[in-house]
């Protein structure tokens, strides 16, 4: 992916489809449309997956809570969503095995009746997962549960129910979709902010007016069809195209807190089935840390990037602590992150906790804008298929969708033992070699090969984690990382697991990325100061202090 080349294409070519928003749904649409033979442009006002698509709970699932609510309320829409999620789960796992893998989850229970209840529920969940390869659920004894998660409260624990879902690195999975779309011919560019549309004589959109935020240059991209995939910000784009449209999105804020892995000491995740506000909360191992979330708070969606605050931190720890033998103190939280869910609401009186995570394709007859509204990560491919099926009506075509079998960038000829070759060839420590294989897949050797050109790139970004400086060079050169945060928050995931270590890493990462991207001393200083301010704001919010 070369940004300069893509921007030049945006300026000079006419596209069949221009997609606004390069999160999971937009990237999925771009790949699907490109594979069907359309000439596609994909843009985002920030980095790829910089909003909702990098702030998920990292689960690929049908939704056990949706299943429970479906039976309690006889809600067939909830059942349909569970079925769609479980149908897509195995596709997400299969198409990028380096970025997605099965995850065992344990639900601790305090009585025989609770164990029976969840065991029956999860067996029904298993039944909905047709043509799936994940192991089926089991009712475990107390001893079996403690063998898997040794830090649980022994006095409270009666038994537990084990089941399986999938886990993914959401930001890198989205990037793999973008890379795959680019390799299928899509012109992709981050940091392109839409400022308006051009219209033909009938009032239908025929161009997208935008500003390149890196250069402040204005440009207008010609396109026969525009698709709005901006998630929680969909209404902004819809109203830009047609101010008479009613608002459809009810954003909901969800946050996660990140703790040291040792507090759970397990490669199993835990589902906490009861919370004070009627949600479920997950405690999940991720990137050598323990991630707990999520919350559900209504928001207007127009504020700054959501972040973890002290009230939310306390809520999450108060939810987790009753299940642990030794209580976690609030000072042990290392980091956290927040995102906005793009919930689709027809009834403004409903709370966001009752809204479906389903999707809808809207066609504005006046402007011609196509909007993909709502949805969730697991069903991104189905959402994209439905969107491009609708888009094809504009072109009077009906091509087959092939994304269910399309192996994503980095998964070509991927071998789970690739890390051993990387370790031996480049004399790397095992944790580094495993990390490279799991994030770059079959392209990990290309990252490690940079060490031969510059041995200094073998150094770790942080002594506590397996990320190395060669990745900063590679991501700037091949993955369109153009800011420090692009790399540290989304290409690798250091920001979401450790704020302090991210701060400490900034000078060395800035030096490597600066050399690749031609930054002078002033730009390296600016990049470092801007990102430092973001991190310190997160830390301040989480501690309850004011700057």
């Amino acid at each position: 992916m070369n940004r300069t080349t893509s921007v030049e294409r945006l300026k000079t070519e006419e596209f069949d489809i221009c997609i606004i928003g390069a999160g999971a749904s937009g990237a999925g649409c771009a790949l699907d449309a490109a594979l069907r033979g359309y000439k596609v442009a994909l843009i985002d006002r920030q980095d790829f997956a910089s909003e909702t698509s990098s702030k998920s709970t990292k689960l690929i699932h049908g939704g056990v809570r949706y299943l429970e609510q479906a039976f309690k309320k006889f809600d067939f829409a909830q059942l349909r969503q569970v079925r769609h999620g479980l149908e897509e789960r195995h596709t997400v796992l299969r198409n990028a095995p380096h970025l997605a893998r099965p995850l065992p989850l344990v639900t601790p229970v305090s009585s025989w009746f609770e164990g029976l209840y969840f065991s029956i529920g999860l067996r029904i969940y298993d039944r909905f997962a047709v043509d799936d390869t994940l192991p089926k659920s089991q009712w475990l004894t107390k001893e079996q549960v403690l063998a898997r998660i040794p830090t649980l409260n022994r006095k409270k624990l009666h038994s537990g129910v084990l089941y399986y879902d999938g886990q993914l690195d959401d930001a890198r999975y989205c990037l793999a979709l973008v890379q795959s779309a680019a390799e299928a011919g899509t012109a992709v560019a981050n940091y392109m902010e839409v400022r308006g549309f051009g219209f033909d004589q009938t009032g239908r959109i025929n161009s997208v007016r935008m500003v390149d935020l890196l250069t402040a240059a204005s440009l207008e991209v010609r396109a026969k069809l525009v698709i709005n995939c901006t998630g929680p910000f969909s209404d902004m784009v819809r109203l830009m195209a047609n101010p008479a449209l009613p608002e459809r999105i009810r954003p909901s804020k969800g946050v996660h807190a990140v703790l040291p892995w040792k507090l759970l000491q397990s490669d199993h995740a835990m589902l906490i089935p009861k919370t004070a506000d009627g949600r479920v909360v997950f405690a999940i191992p991720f990137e050598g840390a323990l991630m707990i979330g999520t919350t559900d708070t209504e928001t207007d969606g127009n504020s700054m990037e959501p972040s973890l605050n002290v009230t939310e931190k306390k809520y999450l720890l108060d939810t987790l602590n009753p299940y642990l033998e030794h209580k976690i103190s609030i000072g042990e939280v290392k980091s956290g992150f927040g995102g906005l869910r793009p919930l689709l609401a027809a009834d403004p009186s409903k709370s966001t906790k009752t809204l479906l995570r389903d999707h809808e394709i809207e066609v504005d007859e006046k402007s011609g804008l196509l909007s993909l509204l709502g949805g969730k990560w697991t069903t991104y491919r189905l959402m994209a298929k439905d969107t491009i099926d609708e888009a094809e009506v504009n072109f009077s075509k009906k091509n087959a969708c092939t994304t269910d079998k399309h192996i994503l960038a980095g998964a070509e000829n991927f071998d789970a033992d690739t890390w051993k070759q990387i370790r031996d060839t480049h004399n790397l420590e095992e944790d580094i070699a495993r990390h490279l294989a799991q994030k770059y897949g079959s392209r990990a050797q290309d990252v490690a090969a940079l060490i031969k050109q510059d041995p200094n790139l073998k150094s770790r970004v942080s002594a506590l984690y397996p990320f190395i400086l060669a990745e900063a060079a590679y991501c700037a050169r091949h993955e369109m990382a153009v800011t420090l945060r692009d790399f540290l928050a989304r290409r690798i995931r250091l920001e979401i697991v450790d704020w302090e270590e991210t701060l400490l890493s900034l000078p060395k990462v800035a030096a490597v990325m600066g050399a690749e991207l031609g930054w002078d001393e002033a730009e390296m200083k600016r990049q470092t100061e801007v990102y430092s301010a973001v991190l310190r704001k997160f830390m301040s919010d989480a501690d309850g202090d004011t700057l």
Side-chain angles (χ1 to χ4, degrees):
M1 297 196 302
N2 183 286
R3 190 175 186 277
T4 302
T5 302
S6 286
V7 172
E8 189 60 30
R9 288 187 61 194
L10 294 176
K11 291 177 181 177
T12 59
E13 299 179 15
E14 181 180 11
F15 296 88
D16 295 319
I17 300 172
C18 179
I19 298 169
I20 304 171
S25 59
C29 284
L31 176 59
D32 194 340
L35 292 177
R36 297 195 203 196
Y38 293 100
K39 190 173 182 180
V40 183
L42 174 66
I43 61 168
D44 197 289
R45 68 176 179 179
Q46 296 190 63
D47 187 30
F48 312 118
S50 59
E51 297 283 358
T52 304
S53 293
S54 63
K55 312 292 178 58
S56 77
T57 309
K58 324 301 182 211
L59 289 177
I60 314 162
H61 65 122
V64 292
R65 183 172 70 91
Y66 308 144
L67 182 66
E68 183 180 30
Q69 293 300 315
F71 281 101
K72 282 184 176 180
K73 299 179 179 179
F74 300 101
D75 187 339
F76 292 104
Q78 297 269 17
L79 279 179
R80 183 177 65 250
Q81 184 168 350
V82 172
R83 179 172 59 82
H84 286 164
L86 291 175
E87 285 173 353
E88 291 299 310
R89 185 178 67 179
H90 70 279
T91 303
V92 177
L93 288 165
R94 181 186 64 234
N95 288 358
H98 59 303
L99 297 172
R101 55 196 59 86
L103 177 71
L105 296 99
V106 173
T107 303
V109 298
S110 58
S111 69
W112 178 88
F113 177 78
E114 274 192 348
L116 180 63
Y117 178 80
F118 288 111
S119 181
I120 292 172
L122 288 166
R123 287 184 182 179
I124 296 172
Y125 190 67
D126 290 340
R127 290 292 183 94
F128 273 81
V130 295
D131 300 325
D132 196 79
T133 58
L134 295 186
K136 301 304 180 184
S137 60
Q138 304 174 51
W139 190 355
L140 305 177
T141 65
K142 178 177 180 177
E143 290 72 24
Q144 288 173 321
V145 173
L146 290 171
R148 287 165 169 81
I149 309 178
T151 58
L152 293 182
N153 185 335
R154 296 168 182 265
K155 292 180 180 178
K156 181 178 179 179
L157 182 67
H158 172 272
S159 56
V161 181
L162 171 70
Y163 76 103
Y164 284 78
D165 262 327
Q167 183 178 41
L168 83 168
D169 182 333
D170 50 8
R172 286 209 64 88
Y173 204 107
C174 183
L175 179 67
L177 290 169
V178 174
Q179 290 175 302
S180 300
E183 290 166 10
T186 301
V188 303
N190 48 6
Y191 296 98
M192 306 294 293
E193 183 172 76
V194 174
R195 296 289 175 86
F197 297 106
F199 300 87
D200 65 18
Q201 292 181 344
T202 67
R204 297 177 71 82
I205 296 172
N206 62 9
S207 67
V208 184
R209 296 168 182 162
M210 61 189 75
V211 172
D212 184 340
L213 297 180
L214 300 187
T215 64
S218 296
L219 61 153
E220 190 163 358
V221 177
R222 293 169 294 149
K224 298 171 185 175
L225 176 68
V226 176
I227 301 179
N228 171 21
C229 293
T230 55
F233 310 103
S234 295
D235 284 341
M236 294 170 59
V237 177
R238 293 171 66 245
L239 295 175
M240 198 182 296
N242 181 359
L245 290 172
E247 294 187 357
R248 296 294 311 280
I249 299 296
R250 291 272 302 283
S252 165
K253 175 188 176 184
V255 301
H256 298 76
V258 179
L259 300 151
W261 178 88
K262 65 181 181 181
L263 298 176
L264 207 61
Q265 295 181 28
S266 178
D267 60 359
H268 286 48
M270 183 169 70
L271 183 153
I272 300 173
K274 294 179 181 179
T275 64
D277 60 350
R279 293 186 53 76
V280 298
V281 165
F282 294 93
I284 299 175
F286 183 74
E287 294 293 346
L290 173 64
M291 183 178 71
I292 176 168
T294 179
T295 59
D296 194 323
T297 309
E298 296 196 38
T299 179
D300 60 14
N302 295 320
S303 57
M304 297 176 63
E305 179 180 356
S307 60
L308 174 72
N309 63 43
V310 68
T311 301
E312 292 159 336
K313 187 159 62 169
K314 186 175 185 301
Y315 163 82
L316 291 170
L317 294 189
D318 286 347
T319 300
L320 177 62
N321 270 332
Y323 291 86
L324 300 180
E325 189 76 14
H326 302 289
K327 308 309 177 197
I328 301 169
S329 70
I330 203 164
E332 292 179 273
V333 175
K334 300 193 301 178
S335 62
F337 58 95
L340 296 175
R341 300 181 188 87
L343 303 183
L344 187 59
D347 182 355
S349 67
K350 289 185 177 181
S351 74
T352 55
K353 287 188 283 290
T354 67
L355 298 180
L356 277 173
R357 272 60 168 168
D358 214 343
H359 68 277
E360 179 182 316
I361 315 302
E362 177 193 76
V363 181
D364 176 27
E365 296 298 337
K366 180 180 178 182
S367 69
L369 179 71
L370 202 67
S371 293
L372 171 52
L373 306 175
K376 65 175 187 174
W377 235 116
T378 303
T379 56
Y380 86 86
R381 194 201 67 83
L382 176 63
M383 292 156 56
K385 176 185 180 300
D386 291 348
T387 304
I388 304 305
D389 284 348
E390 185 62 42
E392 288 209 297
V393 174
N394 288 266
F395 299 99
S396 300
K397 294 181 180 179
K398 194 172 182 180
N399 296 298
C401 174
T402 59
T403 52
D404 60 330
K405 299 292 195 301
H406 189 81
I407 300 302
L408 299 182
E412 318 93 333
N413 304 312
F414 174 69
D415 186 337
D417 288 332
T418 294
W419 70 269
K420 296 178 181 177
Q421 296 175 329
I422 296 170
R423 177 197 60 189
D424 297 342
T425 302
H426 301 281
N427 192 28
L428 292 171
E429 294 173 77
E430 181 175 328
D431 64 333
I432 294 174
R434 285 185 179 275
H435 157 70
L436 293 176
Q438 289 175 355
K439 297 305 177 187
Y440 304 89
S442 55
R443 305 180 184 194
Q445 288 281 8
D446 298 336
V447 183
L450 296 179
I451 296 170
K452 291 184 177 180
Q453 301 173 21
D454 182 355
N456 293 324
L457 296 179
K458 189 175 182 179
S459 301
R460 293 179 184 251
V461 172
S462 160
L464 304 181
Y465 298 94
F467 319 126
I468 58 173
L469 291 176
E471 296 175 80
Y474 181 87
C475 293
R477 196 178 299 181
H478 298 293
E479 295 186 350
M480 220 177 279
V482 295
T483 73
L484 294 177
R485 196 176 185 198
D486 292 346
F487 174 67
L488 288 161
R490 289 175 289 274
R491 302 304 185 274
I492 64 175
R493 309 311 304 274
L494 184 57
E495 179 193 301
I496 70 169
V497 296
D498 199 319
W499 287 328
E500 287 284 357
E501 286 299 309
T502 304
L503 272 172
L504 292 172
S505 74
L506 295 184
K508 63 177 78 171
V509 173
V512 174
M513 291 188 68
E516 289 291 330
L517 299 173
W519 296 345
D520 58 18
E521 288 294 329
E523 177 62 11
M524 282 194 278
K525 181 180 178 183
R526 187 193 71 81
Q527 287 262 355
T528 301
E529 289 177 348
V530 167
Y531 194 18
S532 294
V534 171
L535 292 166
R536 294 188 188 282
K537 176 67 164 58
F538 289 162
M539 297 163 79
S540 173
D541 289 347
D543 290 339
D545 299 330
T546 56
L547 292 175

